[in-house]
Amino acid sequence: MENVHLAVEEDDLYSGYNDYNPTFDSEELENDVGFQQAVRTSHGRRPPMTAKFPGTAIGGRPLVSSFGSRIPMASSMGRPMTGAVQDGAARPMTAVRAAGYSSSLMRGSTFDPLGQSKGPAPPLEAKNEDTAEEKIKILEKKVNDLIEESCMAQSIGALQLALEKAKEAGRKERALIRQREASGNTEHINLDLTYSGEVIKQGSNMATVAESISTQLHSQYEQRKAVLLNLANQYANNEMYPEALNSYHVIVKNKMFTNAGRLKVNMANIYFKQKNYPKAIKFYRMALDQISNNHKELRIKIMQNIGVVFVRLGQYSDAITSFEHIMAESPNIKTGFNLILCYYAIGDRERMKKAFQKLISVPLGIDDEDKYIPASDDPSSNMVIEAIKNDKLHQMERDLKVLAEKYIMTAAKLIAPAIETSFASGFDWCVDMVKCSQYVELANDLEINKAITYLRQKDFNQAVETLKTFEKKDSRVKSAAATNLSFLYFLEKDYDQADRYADLAMNADRYNPAALINKGNTVFVKKDYEKAAEFYKEALRNDSSCTEALYNLGLSYKRMNRLEEGLDCFLKLHSILRNSAEVMYQLAHLYEQLGDPQQAIEWLMQVIGVTPTDPHVLAKLGKLHDDEGDKSQAFQYYSESFRYFPSNIDVIEWLGAYYIETQFCEKAIQYFERATLIQPNFVKWQLIVASCYRRSGNYQKALETYKEIHRRFPENVECLRFLVRLSTDMGLKEVQEYATKLKKAEKMKEIREQRVKSGRENSARGRREGSTGSAAIISTSVLTSPKKSDVTENAKAEPQPEPKQFSPLLDSDSGHSSSSSKGERLSAKMRSLPGSNEPYEASNPKELDASYVDPLGPQMDRPKTGAKKPVDDDDFADEDLGDDLLPE
């Protein structure tokens, strides 16, 4: 401290005025080199404590009080002072300026310890992004951001985007490696990523620096591993298995990557998906060897995978070994179920029983449901219970319990027929075991499944008996059993019993939608559609996703002719069941009833898209196009319908009529011949076949056909008229015979009709006169064209398209024929009576009428290709027939 001088005595007027300790002088500290050096460096650190005499400071200076007297201070005894002098040199007073003290205060200057009076601080120095370190940091951030974006895309299901981001991260990471190599410092330390805020102090030993650099290199390898791992996972998610395996191999082979052996589980999973089961087992076992016993849960999962692979290979004994080890170490529901499957595969009854007992004894580790029931009136505790009642943890517990019950039910249904001599005894054993376990409530469900199994075996009586045992059980089980019983009786058309058990199910559980639907169905078949609709609406209020109730409600509206409301129901149902052919057909039928055939055709086209081989829907499309006048489209759909179902009389009739209308009688013959095979006792089809032969010019075949018709139906007047006409045209000897038969048949027809008419008149007269006697009516069996019966539409019946209706091609009396079986024993008089719709006139003999009406209608003029003028074969009238009309 060169500039610090001690005061000397002078002969001055003001002598002694400035007597003070120069240590506290701060005016010359800015020019004090030693003080400034102490401020900027650690040169001025306090020395260790040394023993001194009392009354002197460190360095030998006497202490001066604020009054100028030199007295020792207590603080100088125990710690060094800032102003201590070392080795005879005075140390600067560093604490004076740091406190903001300045002697200039005494001259009127302001107190400004932070130096704010000097103006704002200079701007920060701009970051230079052109340096190699900054470029490396930017690339590292981009790589990490791309990895995060890839993972986020995978989480939302955008697998292709996740793969693209993973590939981009790989490209950026390779650019980062090249940047490090170009900077000439491949051991670049990324302080921001791993050791944020860490500073290597000067003076540290070289071992610490080497350790830090090694740690940073390890961090770089971890980043490289993250890039490759994410890329491999995205390849696997996109089913690009070879690329995924290559990426996994790169990670596994690099020894710098820690815990890389666990990735062999991922590789084994890929081999499993590729059905390369031997290699999958190899990699599972390699992963198992590299995982320590501390990770018990992971090892159990790997062993479970090994067991599943053995099951796929059919090596059930090896699979049993793995599953038994898991059940001994850490039992779980899935493994227990797999173990039962293996025992079932090898047919070991006793071990199946033991495995089932182990399965129902597996602890689920979930709390009792009673804790979610409010036990007190404390509002705070009740609020907590309400908050946790439907939280994710409780949902997870419910899902786990449902899964366990599903496995137990499936296992019981699987082993019940195998563990005992009969199915019933096996099911009873399973029920007894379940009753003694924590799944007591499953016993009743197993009993109901037993009844359902009886149904599948077509043993309805046993099913009914089993379900009836639940009538005295608790409400939930009683409702389920009564619902099934109601359904069974409904199928058997015992609607009274179905209604009874539907009421029983509703009384046991009014919120059971199936019971309400069954009740509505029983009311529906009684044609009380309003009441049925109310039950269906109540079922929908209890379960808005009940599709059966919504379908049946639409049918009810349709029967009540509330077509718009029915349309709304089926449109809602279509939004739920997008590919339901029944729903789309009902929509098409409703649009047809509403007078919108185009919309009906559109919906039927959607039905064809779902069921392209449905012949009834194809016929319905043909009918709609025919009604619209599009014969070509109608012909196409009718032809397709005939190809899939060649026994539909309506389709056959339309196709035959279409070919007759287009003057292709030869092609129409094959359709009407098929109709005669389907309805052999219906004379209409055989007459049409004969007419087609005649109109196509094949008179000989037509004559043979008419003879065959006459042989089978000897009293058919229309057939006899054709025979008389053709025999006359062809000059056959049988013409007189057929004429006599025709006259006789017409007489019999007139007598039959007169007797019927007389009987009706007598009956009416007797009713008017109050006669107790009844007039005898002689009735005969007359075969007419079949009328399509009205099919009752069940509550959930498969829709059937309405057939196309055709106008009759024959006269009213042409279809009359005798269809009496040979077993009928009628009197001779009864058999001799003819059938006729005309009044009986026995006293007026009529001349033979050989005229007839063509059942196919008037024939169109054919092209004039012959030399002679063609004769109209249908216009016989009463003119004489010449030999020129006969075929050559």
Side-chain angles (χ1 to χ4, degrees):
M1 306 212 7
E2 301 174 355
N3 298 325
V4 179
H5 303 283
L6 296 177
V8 296
E9 294 183 359
E10 297 180 359
D11 296 334
D12 191 11
L13 179 64
Y14 301 101
S15 174
Y17 181 78
N18 291 326
D19 290 343
Y20 66 97
N21 193 341
T23 306
F24 298 104
D25 186 10
S26 60
E27 295 180 353
E28 300 296 329
L29 289 179
E30 294 181 358
N31 299 324
D32 192 339
V33 178
F35 177 77
Q36 295 298 328
Q37 184 179 2
V39 170
R40 293 188 180 92
T41 66
S42 61
H43 178 72
R45 290 182 177 177
R46 296 173 180 173
M49 183 65 183
T50 56
K52 296 293 179 180
F53 290 101
T56 60
I58 299 173
R61 296 194 304 271
L63 297 179
V64 182
S65 68
S66 59
F67 298 98
S69 61
R70 303 178 182 272
I71 59 175
M73 296 181 66
S75 63
S76 63
M77 296 298 182
R79 64 177 181 84
M81 296 185 61
T82 306
V85 180
Q86 300 179 6
D87 299 333
R91 188 176 179 277
M93 304 281 291
T94 57
V96 176
R97 177 146 187 168
Y101 172 78
S102 175
S103 61
S104 60
L105 290 174
M106 300 181 65
R107 294 189 292 270
S109 63
T110 59
F111 179 76
D112 186 18
L114 300 179
Q116 297 177 358
S117 61
K118 297 180 180 179
L124 298 176
E125 184 179 357
K127 182 184 294 186
N128 187 5
E129 297 183 357
D130 294 335
T131 62
E133 290 79 3
E134 290 298 328
K135 291 181 179 179
I136 290 173
K137 289 180 181 180
I138 293 172
L139 283 176
E140 285 176 348
K141 187 177 184 304
K142 288 183 179 179
V143 170
N144 291 335
D145 292 342
L146 286 171
I147 293 175
E148 291 180 3
E149 292 174 5
S150 176
C151 295
M152 293 300 296
Q154 177 191 352
S155 65
I156 62 176
L159 301 181
Q160 188 63 34
L161 178 61
L163 179 60
E164 294 297 329
K165 294 292 184 180
K167 289 181 179 180
E168 182 67 21
R171 289 191 289 268
K172 293 291 184 182
E173 198 269 340
R174 288 191 292 272
L176 176 61
I177 294 176
R178 291 193 295 269
Q179 183 68 29
R180 285 172 177 162
E181 293 175 352
S183 64
N185 185 13
T186 58
E187 295 83 8
H188 172 70
I189 299 173
N190 184 1
L191 300 179
D192 292 337
L193 287 179
T194 54
Y195 293 105
S196 178
E198 183 77 15
V199 179
I200 300 178
K201 299 179 179 63
Q202 296 180 5
S204 299
N205 53 33
M206 293 303 296
T208 305
V209 176
E211 181 180 356
S212 300
I213 295 176
S214 175
T215 304
Q216 297 303 322
L217 288 176
H218 178 73
S219 174
Q220 294 175 14
Y221 280 115
E222 288 298 325
Q223 186 185 33
R224 172 67 172 164
K225 176 184 175 182
V227 172
L228 291 175
L229 178 60
N230 181 58
L231 182 60
N233 290 339
Q234 303 309 327
Y235 277 134
N237 293 333
N238 286 271
E239 297 183 358
M240 302 171 65
Y241 297 132
E243 292 84 352
L245 288 173
N246 291 336
S247 300
Y248 283 130
H249 275 297
V250 172
I251 301 174
V252 171
K253 289 181 179 180
N254 196 326
K255 301 301 181 181
M256 290 295 296
F257 295 152
T258 59
N259 298 324
R262 297 187 182 184
L263 298 181
K264 292 182 180 178
V265 177
N266 295 14
M267 300 173 71
N269 291 340
I270 292 177
Y271 285 123
F272 180 83
K273 292 177 182 178
Q274 292 178 333
K275 298 184 179 180
N276 190 352
Y277 300 129
K279 211 158 189 179
I281 292 177
K282 174 185 176 182
F283 274 85
Y284 279 134
R285 286 178 170 171
M286 291 171 64
L288 194 64
D289 293 338
Q290 296 183 8
I291 295 175
S292 64
N293 294 328
N294 296 330
H295 302 86
K296 181 179 178 181
E297 186 177 354
L298 181 58
R299 290 177 62 87
I300 289 296
K301 291 181 179 179
I302 295 175
M303 291 188 67
Q304 187 171 351
N305 288 358
I306 292 174
V308 172
V309 177
F310 277 128
V311 170
R312 292 295 181 92
L313 289 172
Q315 301 178 14
Y316 299 111
S317 58
D318 295 330
I320 288 172
T321 303
S322 298
F323 292 144
E324 285 180 342
H325 176 76
I326 296 172
M327 292 299 289
E329 293 292 331
S330 177
N332 59 80
I333 292 293
K334 288 186 178 180
T335 304
F337 180 74
N338 290 337
L339 185 59
I340 291 176
L341 292 180
C342 293
Y343 287 144
Y344 179 82
I346 64 177
D348 194 335
R349 294 184 176 182
E350 294 300 324
R351 297 172 81 178
M352 271 190 277
K353 290 183 177 181
K354 293 180 181 179
F356 186 77
Q357 292 174 348
K358 289 182 180 179
L359 177 64
I360 60 179
S361 62
V362 171
L364 295 180
I366 61 178
D367 295 329
D368 192 7
E369 290 289 332
D370 294 340
K371 78 172 186 178
Y372 298 106
I373 300 175
S376 63
D377 296 333
D378 186 8
S380 60
S381 62
N382 292 341
M383 289 178 62
V384 172
I385 291 174
E386 287 295 329
I388 67 175
K389 184 180 293 184
N390 292 316
D391 61 353
K392 291 186 177 180
L393 179 60
H394 191 203
Q395 292 175 5
M396 185 188 70
E397 291 177 349
R398 284 200 300 262
D399 294 340
L400 181 59
K401 188 175 181 180
V402 170
L403 181 64
E405 292 176 353
K406 175 185 174 184
Y407 281 137
I408 292 172
M409 293 286 291
T410 306
K413 290 187 288 186
L414 177 68
I415 68 174
I419 58 177
E420 297 292 345
T421 55
S422 66
F423 153 75
S425 57
F427 235 111
D428 292 338
W429 181 88
C430 293
V431 170
D432 294 337
M433 291 296 104
V434 170
K435 286 181 179 178
C436 300
S437 69
Q438 56 182 330
Y439 304 97
V440 181
E441 64 276 5
L442 280 184
N444 294 324
D445 295 336
L446 283 173
E447 289 282 359
I448 293 178
N449 274 278
K450 179 181 176 182
I452 294 174
T453 307
Y454 277 129
L455 287 178
R456 291 173 179 168
Q457 295 177 353
K458 307 299 182 182
D459 193 349
F460 296 101
N461 295 329
Q462 284 291 337
V464 171
E465 291 298 325
T466 305
L467 290 173
K468 284 183 177 179
T469 60
F470 290 95
E471 293 185 11
K472 297 183 181 180
K473 296 290 184 68
D474 63 304
S475 60
R476 185 185 66 86
V477 180
K478 183 193 296 184
S479 178
T483 301
N484 290 333
L485 282 170
S486 176
F487 173 72
L488 284 176
Y489 284 120
F490 188 86
L491 292 180
E492 293 177 351
K493 300 188 185 308
D494 189 351
Y495 300 125
D496 294 333
Q497 286 290 336
D499 185 65
R500 172 176 171 267
Y501 280 102
D503 289 334
L504 183 62
M506 288 170 54
N507 294 332
D509 184 6
R510 187 71 184 188
Y511 296 98
N512 184 359
L516 292 167
I517 292 173
N518 285 345
K519 179 63 178 177
N521 292 348
T522 58
V523 178
F524 187 95
V525 296
K526 297 176 183 178
K527 299 184 179 180
D528 190 353
Y529 304 121
E530 287 283 354
K531 193 173 182 181
E534 292 300 324
F535 284 112
Y536 297 142
K537 289 178 182 177
E538 186 176 354
L540 284 172
R541 285 193 294 269
N542 294 338
D543 183 6
S544 59
S545 63
C546 185
T547 56
E548 293 85 357
L550 191 57
Y551 187 95
N552 295 346
L553 181 61
L555 290 182
S556 300
Y557 285 140
K558 184 179 175 183
R559 288 298 182 89
M560 291 185 289
N561 204 28
R562 294 158 62 176
L563 302 180
E564 292 292 344
E565 296 178 53
L567 188 65
D568 291 338
C569 290
F570 285 113
L571 286 174
K572 291 178 183 177
L573 192 57
H574 177 66
S575 63
I576 302 173
L577 306 175
R578 303 295 298 180
N579 296 323
S580 175
E582 293 87 353
V583 176
M584 290 186 284
Y585 181 84
Q586 293 295 340
L587 286 168
H589 193 246
L590 282 169
Y591 276 117
E592 182 186 7
Q593 291 180 322
L594 289 170
D596 192 349
Q598 293 300 325
Q599 279 289 340
I601 291 173
E602 289 294 329
W603 283 105
L604 287 176
M605 291 299 296
Q606 294 189 39
V607 177
I608 291 298
V610 177
T611 56
T613 60
D614 192 328
H616 300 288
V617 177
L618 291 167
K620 188 70 174 178
L621 272 170
K623 177 182 179 300
L624 290 174
H625 282 292
D626 187 27
D627 294 342
E628 291 293 304
D630 192 349
K631 293 287 185 181
S632 60
Q633 282 290 340
F635 173 73
Q636 176 184 350
Y637 287 116
Y638 273 121
S639 299
E640 287 293 307
S641 177
F642 177 78
R643 184 164 68 91
Y644 291 118
F645 183 53
S647 300
N648 192 330
I649 289 294
D650 301 308
V651 174
I652 291 172
E653 186 177 4
W654 192 93
L655 289 171
Y658 175 80
Y659 279 117
I660 291 173
E661 184 181 351
T662 55
Q663 298 298 311
F664 289 100
C665 297
E666 299 87 350
K667 291 186 177 180
I669 292 173
Q670 60 176 336
Y671 293 102
F672 291 117
E673 285 180 343
R674 183 174 291 276
T676 61
L677 295 176
I678 298 171
Q679 295 179 346
N681 295 325
F682 195 35
V683 71
K684 170 184 174 180
W685 309 124
Q686 301 181 38
L687 290 173
I688 293 176
V689 170
S691 297
C692 288
Y693 279 125
R694 185 185 56 78
R695 299 188 72 169
S696 61
N698 194 347
Y699 296 104
Q700 187 63 36
K701 188 68 175 176
L703 181 63
E704 293 175 0
T705 306
Y706 282 126
K707 287 182 178 180
E708 179 65 23
I709 296 171
H710 176 65
R711 187 183 64 81
R712 297 186 59 189
F713 307 98
E715 297 179 358
N716 187 274
V717 177
E718 199 70 27
C719 178
L720 288 171
R721 287 176 180 172
F722 279 113
L723 282 172
V724 170
R725 189 57 187 162
L726 282 177
S727 299
T728 304
D729 292 346
M730 299 175 69
L732 301 178
K733 298 177 181 180
E734 297 91 347
V735 61
Q736 190 60 38
E737 177 185 356
Y738 292 135
T740 304
K741 290 182 179 180
L742 175 60
K743 187 175 181 179
K744 183 179 179 180
E746 288 179 344
K747 270 189 177 182
M748 294 172 64
K749 180 179 178 182
E750 291 173 0
I751 293 172
R752 187 183 298 113
E753 292 176 353
Q754 182 63 29
R755 291 291 179 87
V756 172
K757 183 178 180 181
S758 299
R760 290 174 180 172
E761 290 177 355
N762 291 336
S763 298
R765 188 182 306 112
R767 285 193 299 270
R768 287 195 303 268
E769 296 177 357
S771 175
T772 59
S774 60
I777 300 176
I778 301 176
S779 61
T780 58
S781 175
V782 181
L783 183 65
T784 59
S785 63
K787 182 179 180 181
K788 202 163 185 65
S789 60
D790 297 332
V791 180
T792 302
E793 189 173 15
N794 292 332
K796 185 88 189 267
E798 184 175 356
Q800 298 293 335
E802 295 181 1
K804 177 178 175 57
Q805 302 296 332
F806 293 91
S807 58
L809 299 178
L810 298 177
D811 294 335
S812 60
D813 61 343
S814 64
H816 296 174
S817 63
S818 175
S819 61
S820 300
S821 63
K822 294 182 179 179
E824 294 179 349
R825 294 291 182 259
L826 299 176
S827 63
K829 186 176 181 180
M830 284 286 293
R831 288 197 301 269
S832 64
L833 291 176
S836 175
N837 292 328
E838 298 178 1
Y840 173 60
E841 298 178 0
S843 61
N844 298 329
K846 298 177 64 176
E847 297 182 359
L848 177 63
D849 184 13
S851 63
Y852 66 95
V853 179
D854 193 345
L856 301 182
Q859 186 177 9
M860 296 178 63
D861 294 338
R862 298 181 68 84
K864 298 179 175 55
T865 56
K868 296 181 180 180
K869 182 178 181 180
V871 179
D872 189 359
D873 294 338
D874 295 334
D875 189 13
F876 293 116
D878 294 329
E879 63 183 15
D880 296 333
L881 301 177
D883 295 337
D884 58 342
L885 297 179
L886 298 178
E888 297 179 359

